[in-house]
Every structure is written in structure tokens, then in C-alpha cells.
Amino acid sequence: MINPLHNTLHRERSGVLNRGLSRRQDLSLSRGLNLDISRVLNRYLAVLVLLFTGVLGLTGCVTVTDNAAQPLRTTVVMSGDLSELPPTAMTYTWHPKFQKIITDKRLEPQQVLQHMQDVLEQSLQNKGYRWVEDPQLADFQVGFGVAMGTEMSDEQILAVTGLVAGLSTDGVNTKKYDKGTVVIALFKPTKIKGGGDEPIWRVLAQGFGNIKKMDELTENFDSLIASMVANMPSVNVAPCQRFSLASFQF
């Protein structure tokens, strides 16, 4: 005879076992889902890390390439003795022959010459010198030259000026940047025997510039000219020559 209590206990135990199994299955399923989600997240994070690393890598490459394509270096060489300038030298004039502008068709030579004269005159004026038209009144003569690398090689520049900077174009995007050369030379005045024949001092600079960015190129060019004449002695003006309206009494 089957005991009803036994059947009840059996059913309850079965229910408990079934509930326990169900809970274990749910827990197992939950763990499985968590593992799957975790794996998906890990894979997603891994992809993000790879993508981020790739972006950084690309950014780095672009930066390096861009820096390499924007050479800001300039080489300057000089020769001669500035002490050969007269101690009282205050005035200068342009050398009648040594004013050479050699450019390609992208630049107007006459405009470059005029700009060179203006900038050089301002730079010398800042050091106390003044330009005079009459060669007989000048204490020394100033000559200059500007040449683009497309029109004049370093060998030709050396033959003409006796100086060469030898600035290399390695690693430079020569389709974007042009190599340029500037030379400034000081000569004795024509009133002195042998004046104007051989320079007593000269300085040559080479650098790169982008003609398509003319404002930037002009700014860099003007700064370069000022730095090239920086070694020239400044004119000492006697204190009695310095006056202002405040010194006058009415």
C-alpha cells in the first residue's frame, strides 16, 4: 500500500530537486551569457585598442612626414674682415655691378631686387648706417645677390661668390619647397684705390621656402637679411647728436 505521505514527500523532494536543477541551469546559463558578453566586450575593446593604436600610428607618420617636408633649417657662412671697414663709416651706396637676381618665371626679378634693397636698407639703418646716392660720399659699397636653386647650382654659386653653404636637399619635398641662396658683400668705396674690386667681407645664406606661401616666405626672408648683417658693427652716435624736443626751452 502506497503511503500518501511518502508520495507527498517524494513530490516535494522532486520539486526541490527540480527547482535546484532549474536554478543551477539558470546560473549556468547566466554564467554562460556573462562569459559570452565578457568575450564580446573583450573583443570589442581589443578592436578599439587596435583602431586607436592604428590612428596614433597614422598620426605619427603624418606628423613625421609633415615635419620632414617643412625644412626650417638655414645655413650661413661668411668670409672676410669687418675691421677693414673705416672706423668712422656711416654711409654706404649700392655696388654698381654686384646686384644680381636670378629667379625662374614664378618671381619677377625687378620686384625681388627692389624688395632686397628695401629690406637691406632697413636692416642697415637699424644699425646706424644710411644710404647715399653719390658714390663719392659713401664710406663703403654694398652688393648683394639672390638665386634660386632651380636656376643656379652650388658649384656656380661657389665660382661667383667664393662661398658655398652646401645645404642638402635630402629629405626635402623639392616639389613644394625651393632652395634659395642670398649673398651680401661689402666693398671699399670707389674713392679709395682698388675700391669695388674685391669684397672686404661677405656672408652667404641658404634656406628653403614655399613660393605659394608668399607672406610666410617674405617674413622669413626679411628676418634672414637682418640676421646676415647682425655681425656688422653698429654706428656709435655721439651723445651731443642725440636730442629731442624736450631738451629745448622756450
Side-chain angles (χ1 to χ4, degrees):
M1 182 177 179
I2 299 175
N3 189 342
L5 180 59
H6 175 77
N7 289 336
T8 301
L9 290 173
H10 178 74
R11 285 195 299 271
E12 289 177 357
R13 287 175 181 173
S14 297
V16 169
L17 288 173
N18 288 334
R19 285 195 297 273
L21 265 174
S22 177
R23 287 176 182 174
R24 284 197 294 273
Q25 289 173 348
D26 291 342
L27 181 60
S28 176
L29 181 60
S30 176
R31 287 177 179 172
L33 287 173
N34 288 336
L35 287 173
D36 288 339
I37 292 173
S38 178
R39 288 173 183 168
V40 170
L41 286 175
N42 287 336
R43 288 178 183 176
Y44 181 71
L45 288 174
V47 170
L48 285 179
V49 169
L50 287 174
L51 287 174
F52 185 68
T53 304
V55 170
L56 286 179
L58 288 174
T59 304
C61 290
V62 171
T63 302
V64 171
T65 302
D66 195 51
N67 285 341
Q70 295 185 16
L72 300 178
R73 64 188 187 275
T74 302
T75 302
V76 180
V77 293
M78 62 184 68
S79 175
D81 188 359
L82 283 169
S83 65
E84 291 191 37
L85 276 177
T88 58
M90 294 182 60
T91 59
Y92 69 93
T93 191
W94 302 123
H95 192 280
K97 295 180 180 178
F98 193 18
Q99 297 182 66
K100 303 293 183 182
I101 306 296
I102 303 174
T103 63
D104 60 26
K105 60 183 180 180
R106 290 174 294 173
L107 295 175
E108 173 56 46
Q110 189 58 40
Q111 291 180 356
V112 177
L113 185 143
Q114 186 61 56
H115 185 78
M116 179 68 182
Q117 285 184 339
D118 293 343
V119 176
L120 188 50
E121 184 175 344
Q122 182 61 55
S123 298
L124 291 175
Q125 182 178 323
N126 291 341
K127 298 189 74 67
Y129 301 99
R130 61 185 180 88
W131 177 82
V132 294
E133 185 175 4
D134 188 351
Q136 296 302 315
L137 299 177
D139 295 320
F140 62 97
Q141 299 177 88
V142 177
F144 58 82
V146 179
M148 291 178 61
T150 55
E151 303 299 307
M152 199 169 185
S153 66
D154 282 356
E155 290 76 13
Q156 292 172 317
I157 292 171
L158 175 61
V160 173
T161 66
L163 294 175
V164 63
L167 186 60
S168 174
T169 57
D170 291 344
V172 177
N173 184 356
T174 53
K175 293 182 179 179
K176 184 177 181 181
Y177 294 92
D178 286 283
K179 180 178 176 179
T181 302
V182 182
V183 60
I184 300 171
L186 307 184
F187 298 83
K188 292 180 179 179
T190 54
K191 58 188 176 184
I192 296 179
K193 184 178 180 180
D197 294 336
E198 292 293 330
I200 60 176
W201 181 81
R202 53 199 163 176
V203 56
L204 181 145
Q206 281 187 335
F208 296 94
N210 187 350
I211 293 180
K212 292 182 179 180
K213 295 183 178 181
M214 189 54 67
D215 290 342
E216 178 183 319
L217 178 62
T218 301
E219 182 179 352
N220 293 337
F221 180 84
D222 296 356
S223 298
L224 176 63
I225 299 304
S227 67
M228 290 175 71
V229 299
N231 285 342
M232 290 181 62
S234 297
V235 173
N236 294 320
V237 180
C240 62
Q241 292 179 292
R242 297 176 179 172
F243 60 88
S244 64
L245 289 177
S247 64
F248 289 91
Q249 294 181 358
F250 299 91

